[in-house]
Amino acid sequence: DKQLLPPFTALRYLGNLFHVFLLFEERGKDGLLIIDQHAAHERINYERFVKQATTATIVQQRLVKPLVVPLTDEQEVLFSSRHKVLVDLGFDVALFGEGRVVLRAVPTLFRCANEAQLLLDLLDLPVDNAEDYDQLLDQMAMKACKASVKQGDRLSDAEVLSLYEQLCLCRYPLTCPHGRPTVIRREKKDFEKWFMRIK
């Protein structure tokens, strides 16, 4: 139910708690929204990658230096069956002699410290049918979570606004791809009960 997410103009940003939770007071409604910044960004990245993949508009990031990645025999077999899907999903990767591939670009959302390990992780993903595009897409989109805002990241007010507005645009904004809540709402009366001001 997107009703839980009022427009940003109806909120007053109070700040963050433990560098994890973003706190918003709902103007005139005695409500408090608590947003898990990491879960929210996971949802945003997941939907962004799925949309890019399904509309063939994946944004690529070329590596400064191509990576030669050694494969096990099993990974080499999986690579041949998944190569087309990997290319469709934004990877510029090709065989480079026996038991090796060369990686030249990755989807922008998959920027990470170790692109070679990312590729191996994607080859090792447990998918019932190695050529099942939808299953592989879903698993890879989950991996996009690694590019998300982490617990402890400090966000500027502008970044908080951007995160909130992007979350509001998601199809399923209230949970991350793993099913955890992105937003919890509490009311003034909840606090009054906790402090025994009311029964």
Side-chain angles (χ1 to χ4, degrees), residues 26 45 83 93 96 104 113 118 123 137 144 177 180 197:
E26 233 179 319
N45 271 350
H83 180 243
V93 60
F96 191 71
R104 294 188 175 91
L118 171 64
L123 289 177
L137 168 60
R180 294 189 300 109
R197 295 174 69 88

Side-chain angles (χ1 to χ4, degrees), residues 69-121:
V69 185
L71 305 180
T72 64
D73 291 344
E74 187 179 354
Q75 287 168 337
E76 194 169 2
V77 171
L78 283 167
F79 177 78
S80 61
S81 63
R82 293 185 181 181
H83 180 243
K84 183 182 184 308
V85 179
L86 289 167
V87 170
D88 286 349
L89 298 181
F91 288 84
D92 182 347
V93 60
L95 282 172
F96 191 71
E98 195 171 330
R100 295 186 303 169
V101 293
V102 60
L103 180 63
R104 294 188 175 91
V106 297
T108 301
L109 281 177
F110 284 85
R111 282 174 303 184
C112 67
N114 191 341
E115 285 90 357
Q117 187 57 52
L118 171 64
L119 177 64
L120 296 177
D121 288 348

Side-chain angles (χ1 to χ4, degrees), residues 95-165:
L95 282 172
F96 191 71
E98 195 171 330
R100 295 186 303 169
V101 293
V102 60
L103 180 63
R104 294 188 175 91
V106 297
T108 301
L109 281 177
F110 284 85
R111 282 174 303 184
C112 67
N114 191 341
E115 285 90 357
Q117 187 57 52
L118 171 64
L119 177 64
L120 296 177
D121 288 348
L122 295 176
L123 289 177
D124 292 337
L125 284 174
V127 175
D128 300 335
N129 175 351
E131 297 178 19
D132 187 328
Y133 184 93
D134 289 335
Q135 254 200 79
L136 196 55
L137 168 60
D138 187 64
Q139 294 271 4
M140 289 174 69
M142 290 284 195
K143 285 281 180 186
C145 296
K146 290 198 179 282
S148 300
V149 169
K150 296 294 186 289
Q151 179 172 303
D153 284 356
R154 293 171 183 265
L155 302 183
S156 67
D157 287 359
E159 288 170 326
V160 169
L161 168 60
S162 176
L163 184 77
Y164 186 83
E165 290 184 335

